[in-house]
Each structure stands twice: as C-alpha cells, then as structure tokens.
Amino acid sequence: MPAPIVITLVYLIGLGIVYPALPFQALDLGASPLQVSLILVTDTAVVLVLSTFMGRLSDKIGRRSVTCLALATAPVAYLMMAYADSLAWLFAARALAGVSNAAIPVIQALMADCTCDKSRVRGMANVNSAFAIAFIIGPILGREWLLGPGGDDYRSGALGGAAFAVMALVLAVFLLREIRLPTVGERLPTPGKGRGLGALILSPLCLGPIAVMAVLAFAYAAMETTLGLWSSRMLSWRASDVALGFMFAGMAALFSLWVLIPFLCRRLGEEPVAAGAALAMGLGMSLFVLWPSDGVIAVALMLLGGGIATSLSCLQALLSKAAPASIQGTALGLNHAILSVARILGPVWGGFALGSLGSGWPYVSGAALALLALLLMAWIYRPRPAPSEG
C-alpha cells in the first residue's frame, strides 16, 4: 500500500474513534442541539477556509512539508478534546482539527503527482477507500475498547485519537517522499494569468467536475444526516439499525473502490463510470420514496455508498488530469473547499426539508440533484469536434 494511503488511513482511524462520540461529549458539556450541529461542522468550516491555501502552498513548497505541518496540529487538537471542560474548548479543539483535515487534498495532489493518467483514478480511489476503512475500524476500536462500557469515556477516546495522530505524523515524516518540486527559478502560474486559478475556474473540464461533485456531495450529506430521523418515523429503526445501514453503505463503497473502479474504468473510462454512479445514486434516493421497507432501504444505502465513492473518485481523477501539473494542489484544494460547503449546506437543507416539507423531500431532492449531475456530465464530457489542422 502506498505511503500516502497508509498515512491517510492511520490519521482517519483516530478521527473515526472520536467522531461518533463527539455529539454526546458536547451534550455532556451542556450543548444545545444547535450547538451540537455547529461543533460537528466546525472542522469542515476550517477546511473550507484553508484547503485552497494549503493546496496552493503545496504547489510552491512541496507536498511533504505541507502535509507534515498540517498533521502536526492533530495531536494537539485531540489533547484539547480529551481535557475539554467547556464548550469553548471543544469548539477550539474541532477548529484546530480542521487544520489537520486540510491535509487531505494535499495528499490527493501527492497521489496525482505519483500516478500517470491511466492509473490516476485508482490513486484517488485508494485515498477515498481509506475513509471507508477508517470509519469501520475507528468506531469499532472506540466502542469495544476506548470509550468504556458506557460509551462515555471521552478522554480515553480522544487520547486514542491522539495516539493515531502521532503515528500518522511519524509515518509522514519518515515515509513521504517529494514527487514533484518546483525547480529553481520556476514561476508558478498566478490567478488570472495563463494557467492560473482564474483560468482553472473558467475551464469547463476543471470547474465542471467540481460542480458535479458538489451537487452529489450535497445530496448525500442531506440523506446521511436525516436517515436516523426518517428511518425512525418510517421503519421504526433504532440507532443500531442505522449503524448497520451505514455499514452496508461502507461495504458497498469499498467494493466499488477496490473492484468496480479498476475493472470498469479500464474498459470504459472515468466519464461513463461516473455517470453510471450518479444514476445509481438517483435510483437509491428514489427508493426511499417509492419503496420504504427494510430490505429495499438497505439496497438503497448500498447504491448510495457505492455511488458517491465511485463518482467522487472518477471525478477527482478527471479534475486532476484536466488541471495543469503546476497547480494540482490548488485545483484539488479548491475542490475540497467547495465540497466542504456542500457538506455544510446539505445537512441544513435535509433537516429543513424533513421537518417542514415532509419526510420524503430530502430524498426527492436528492434524486433530482443526481439527475442534474448526470445531465451536467453529459454536457461537460460531450463529444467535441477535433481541432482543424492549420
């Protein structure tokens, strides 16, 4: 397994330990439901602010240095979380954790540096598979060992997260190697000049996949955060049933990342595979409304888990191949920032739609957004006439 993937996996296992317990720790510190929601998105908001900057910085000084600097903040964030005795400290801990989370697009850029166009999608899929594995292993470690019998030993859980963060930092220092560094005297493109950030935003082959990923991430986030309440109302599911459903989604994501993407992308290419994944997500969303039963919703969650993992990996690879090599970090950092916006706004829309418009609205809108993503891909990757000679 490549070093960047190992480092990402180890780092995310720590996050997987503490994240499920975070709402309960906040409640024990006196948080209101709104404050719990704000704590859960605090790190995402920091990623939104920093990821483009971190990506561009990695284009200038190298991926290894930026990754190590970002990961160095994670142990401190977990220690703050372990000893937090007020909501203010917990908010501060999550904000600092956002700095380390901004290392993810830099690692994606590193994978882009060390893969050719043909294997780019597998590199992105491997980074995304680390998320799925970590959020299976992390909660198991937390539930079975670190959080105690009552599941409320938050200090031990956060200290466990800190241990994994330290391991990730040590691995990054000793294992990461710089694949591409700007040569002496090289001038990186600046926004608005040549192939800089302004040109990137205006290019359909760069802006297009970013927009499609944002639409699909928005729809998935709305589903993810409303599943518990929806399933309780419609199917009488308990927390353990919801956890099992998400495990099905995670298993489908891993199957897609490890089996379907290498097989299908080699034969068909990333564009049709991403389109098929968006279609699968639209079908999964529709099943919530058309056929709400235990078995069918389990299938719907597998379609959604596999669909979002496949579409993001393919579109990240397409974005990486469309962006000039000198601004890989900038492009992937910008993408990560826009995905952060989608992952903040998606739950807001999902909660509003479920509470004010009706139980099926988060999923009706999700199906419509998947169709929109499909239409966008058909337009972005439509056949273009070859340029005429001369």
PDB file of all heavy atoms in Angstrom, residues 295-309:
ATOM      1  N   GLY A 295     -35.464  -4.085   3.706  1.00  0.00           N
ATOM      2  CA  GLY A 295     -34.538  -4.643   2.725  1.00  0.00           C
ATOM      3  C   GLY A 295     -34.239  -3.685   1.587  1.00  0.00           C
ATOM      4  O   GLY A 295     -33.088  -3.564   1.144  1.00  0.00           O
ATOM      5  N   VAL A 296     -35.266  -2.995   1.112  1.00  0.00           N
ATOM      6  CA  VAL A 296     -35.072  -2.074  -0.010  1.00  0.00           C
ATOM      7  C   VAL A 296     -34.202  -0.895   0.401  1.00  0.00           C
ATOM      8  O   VAL A 296     -33.342  -0.441  -0.358  1.00  0.00           O
ATOM      9  CB  VAL A 296     -36.441  -1.594  -0.545  1.00  0.00           C
ATOM     10  CG1 VAL A 296     -36.257  -0.486  -1.580  1.00  0.00           C
ATOM     11  CG2 VAL A 296     -37.194  -2.761  -1.159  1.00  0.00           C
ATOM     12  N   ILE A 297     -34.394  -0.385   1.607  1.00  0.00           N
ATOM     13  CA  ILE A 297     -33.563   0.740   2.059  1.00  0.00           C
ATOM     14  C   ILE A 297     -32.123   0.293   2.260  1.00  0.00           C
ATOM     15  O   ILE A 297     -31.181   1.063   2.014  1.00  0.00           O
ATOM     16  CB  ILE A 297     -34.140   1.368   3.343  1.00  0.00           C
ATOM     17  CG1 ILE A 297     -35.528   1.938   3.056  1.00  0.00           C
ATOM     18  CG2 ILE A 297     -33.231   2.457   3.875  1.00  0.00           C
ATOM     19  CD1 ILE A 297     -35.582   2.902   1.882  1.00  0.00           C
ATOM     20  N   ALA A 298     -31.912  -0.960   2.673  1.00  0.00           N
ATOM     21  CA  ALA A 298     -30.540  -1.469   2.749  1.00  0.00           C
ATOM     22  C   ALA A 298     -29.892  -1.458   1.367  1.00  0.00           C
ATOM     23  O   ALA A 298     -28.732  -1.065   1.209  1.00  0.00           O
ATOM     24  CB  ALA A 298     -30.540  -2.882   3.337  1.00  0.00           C
ATOM     25  N   VAL A 299     -30.657  -1.867   0.341  1.00  0.00           N
ATOM     26  CA  VAL A 299     -30.144  -1.821  -1.036  1.00  0.00           C
ATOM     27  C   VAL A 299     -29.896  -0.374  -1.460  1.00  0.00           C
ATOM     28  O   VAL A 299     -28.884  -0.060  -2.094  1.00  0.00           O
ATOM     29  CB  VAL A 299     -31.135  -2.511  -1.999  1.00  0.00           C
ATOM     30  CG1 VAL A 299     -30.719  -2.288  -3.449  1.00  0.00           C
ATOM     31  CG2 VAL A 299     -31.227  -3.997  -1.695  1.00  0.00           C
ATOM     32  N   ALA A 300     -30.832   0.517  -1.094  1.00  0.00           N
ATOM     33  CA  ALA A 300     -30.673   1.936  -1.445  1.00  0.00           C
ATOM     34  C   ALA A 300     -29.395   2.506  -0.840  1.00  0.00           C
ATOM     35  O   ALA A 300     -28.655   3.257  -1.504  1.00  0.00           O
ATOM     36  CB  ALA A 300     -31.888   2.724  -0.964  1.00  0.00           C
ATOM     37  N   LEU A 301     -29.102   2.161   0.399  1.00  0.00           N
ATOM     38  CA  LEU A 301     -27.886   2.670   1.048  1.00  0.00           C
ATOM     39  C   LEU A 301     -26.626   2.122   0.384  1.00  0.00           C
ATOM     40  O   LEU A 301     -25.616   2.827   0.285  1.00  0.00           O
ATOM     41  CB  LEU A 301     -27.910   2.329   2.535  1.00  0.00           C
ATOM     42  CG  LEU A 301     -28.926   3.122   3.365  1.00  0.00           C
ATOM     43  CD1 LEU A 301     -29.046   2.542   4.775  1.00  0.00           C
ATOM     44  CD2 LEU A 301     -28.528   4.591   3.434  1.00  0.00           C
ATOM     45  N   MET A 302     -26.684   0.883  -0.096  1.00  0.00           N
ATOM     46  CA  MET A 302     -25.526   0.344  -0.817  1.00  0.00           C
ATOM     47  C   MET A 302     -25.342   1.058  -2.151  1.00  0.00           C
ATOM     48  O   MET A 302     -24.213   1.358  -2.557  1.00  0.00           O
ATOM     49  CB  MET A 302     -25.690  -1.163  -1.012  1.00  0.00           C
ATOM     50  CG  MET A 302     -25.498  -1.957   0.271  1.00  0.00           C
ATOM     51  SD  MET A 302     -25.396  -3.742   0.031  1.00  0.00           S
ATOM     52  CE  MET A 302     -27.134  -4.139  -0.209  1.00  0.00           C
ATOM     53  N   LEU A 303     -26.451   1.348  -2.846  1.00  0.00           N
ATOM     54  CA  LEU A 303     -26.350   2.110  -4.092  1.00  0.00           C
ATOM     55  C   LEU A 303     -25.761   3.496  -3.834  1.00  0.00           C
ATOM     56  O   LEU A 303     -24.920   3.987  -4.596  1.00  0.00           O
ATOM     57  CB  LEU A 303     -27.728   2.246  -4.739  1.00  0.00           C
ATOM     58  CG  LEU A 303     -28.308   0.986  -5.385  1.00  0.00           C
ATOM     59  CD1 LEU A 303     -29.771   1.217  -5.771  1.00  0.00           C
ATOM     60  CD2 LEU A 303     -27.501   0.591  -6.614  1.00  0.00           C
ATOM     61  N   LEU A 304     -26.193   4.122  -2.740  1.00  0.00           N
ATOM     62  CA  LEU A 304     -25.703   5.463  -2.423  1.00  0.00           C
ATOM     63  C   LEU A 304     -24.249   5.439  -1.976  1.00  0.00           C
ATOM     64  O   LEU A 304     -23.445   6.290  -2.389  1.00  0.00           O
ATOM     65  CB  LEU A 304     -26.587   6.092  -1.351  1.00  0.00           C
ATOM     66  CG  LEU A 304     -27.988   6.479  -1.832  1.00  0.00           C
ATOM     67  CD1 LEU A 304     -28.917   6.741  -0.647  1.00  0.00           C
ATOM     68  CD2 LEU A 304     -27.925   7.701  -2.729  1.00  0.00           C
ATOM     69  N   GLY A 305     -23.878   4.478  -1.129  1.00  0.00           N
ATOM     70  CA  GLY A 305     -22.492   4.397  -0.669  1.00  0.00           C
ATOM     71  C   GLY A 305     -21.538   4.102  -1.813  1.00  0.00           C
ATOM     72  O   GLY A 305     -20.494   4.746  -1.965  1.00  0.00           O
ATOM     73  N   GLY A 306     -21.892   3.121  -2.647  1.00  0.00           N
ATOM     74  CA  GLY A 306     -21.056   2.813  -3.797  1.00  0.00           C
ATOM     75  C   GLY A 306     -21.051   3.933  -4.814  1.00  0.00           C
ATOM     76  O   GLY A 306     -20.021   4.243  -5.421  1.00  0.00           O
ATOM     77  N   GLY A 307     -22.216   4.569  -4.998  1.00  0.00           N
ATOM     78  CA  GLY A 307     -22.326   5.632  -5.990  1.00  0.00           C
ATOM     79  C   GLY A 307     -21.497   6.850  -5.648  1.00  0.00           C
ATOM     80  O   GLY A 307     -20.776   7.390  -6.495  1.00  0.00           O
ATOM     81  N   ILE A 308     -21.570   7.310  -4.394  1.00  0.00           N
ATOM     82  CA  ILE A 308     -20.821   8.515  -4.027  1.00  0.00           C
ATOM     83  C   ILE A 308     -19.317   8.243  -4.059  1.00  0.00           C
ATOM     84  O   ILE A 308     -18.527   9.082  -4.508  1.00  0.00           O
ATOM     85  CB  ILE A 308     -21.265   9.057  -2.642  1.00  0.00           C
ATOM     86  CG1 ILE A 308     -20.695  10.456  -2.397  1.00  0.00           C
ATOM     87  CG2 ILE A 308     -20.895   8.117  -1.523  1.00  0.00           C
ATOM     88  CD1 ILE A 308     -21.237  11.524  -3.273  1.00  0.00           C
ATOM     89  N   ALA A 309     -18.893   7.064  -3.608  1.00  0.00           N
ATOM     90  CA  ALA A 309     -17.466   6.739  -3.617  1.00  0.00           C
ATOM     91  C   ALA A 309     -16.935   6.655  -5.043  1.00  0.00           C
ATOM     92  O   ALA A 309     -15.849   7.167  -5.356  1.00  0.00           O
ATOM     93  CB  ALA A 309     -17.226   5.417  -2.889  1.00  0.00           C
TER      94      ALA A 309
END
